[in-house]
Amino acid sequence: MPKPHIPSSAVRRVLRKLGTDLREARQRRRLTMAVVAERAFTSRATLQRVEAGDPGVSMGIYAAVLQSLGLLDRLDQLADPAHDEIGRSLASGELPQRVRMSTKRRKQSDD
């Protein structure tokens, strides 16, 4: 039997903050838990788990709650390569220092 995944303290902290932020967004919109749960096609109990930052709730449920609050458009930016400074710097480190044109291409460009 596989060992259950235990998220790191950093993951738990971020999910708790996300849950708190989602609860505050719901309250600012003056929406009840029942309304948001219905709009997210989930139960009120699951919404309570989302607002508590439960790491056992699927990403799909978190996304559905974001959508029900009108905040889904930001989710697709999380891992966007345009905002991945580390990934871009690592990728640029793999670029060759010099690029040589093949003899076939050199002949084509001379023509």
Side-chain angles (χ1 to χ4, degrees):
M1 184 170 175
K3 184 178 174 183
H5 173 71
I6 300 172
S8 70
S9 61
V11 169
R12 291 191 310 269
R13 183 175 45 255
V14 167
L15 286 175
R16 275 194 306 271
K17 181 178 182 331
L18 176 59
T20 300
D21 292 348
L22 289 172
R23 179 176 40 255
E24 289 177 9
R26 176 181 59 78
Q27 290 171 340
R28 281 191 305 272
R29 288 161 176 73
R30 297 188 179 2
L31 296 171
T32 66
M33 290 187 86
V35 167
V36 172
E38 183 179 326
R39 289 180 182 176
F41 301 102
T42 193
S43 67
R44 190 174 177 278
T46 300
L47 180 58
Q48 284 177 318
R49 291 175 56 206
V50 166
E51 290 185 354
D54 186 338
V57 177
S58 78
M59 181 79 168
I61 298 294
Y62 276 95
V65 171
L66 285 164
Q67 183 179 30
S68 71
L69 296 171
L71 299 171
L72 184 63
D73 59 332
R74 297 180 196 172
L75 184 61
D76 67 344
Q77 298 298 312
L78 291 177
D80 187 335
H83 305 293
D84 183 7
E85 297 295 326
I86 294 171
R88 285 194 317 215
S89 80
L90 289 171
S92 68
E94 294 175 2
L95 296 175
Q97 295 299 314
R98 291 176 43 176
V99 178
R100 293 186 180 159
M101 203 182 298
S102 70
T103 55
K104 184 178 180 180
R105 285 201 171 177
R106 199 173 305 142
K107 286 180 184 178
Q108 289 174 349
S109 66
D110 290 341
D111 292 338

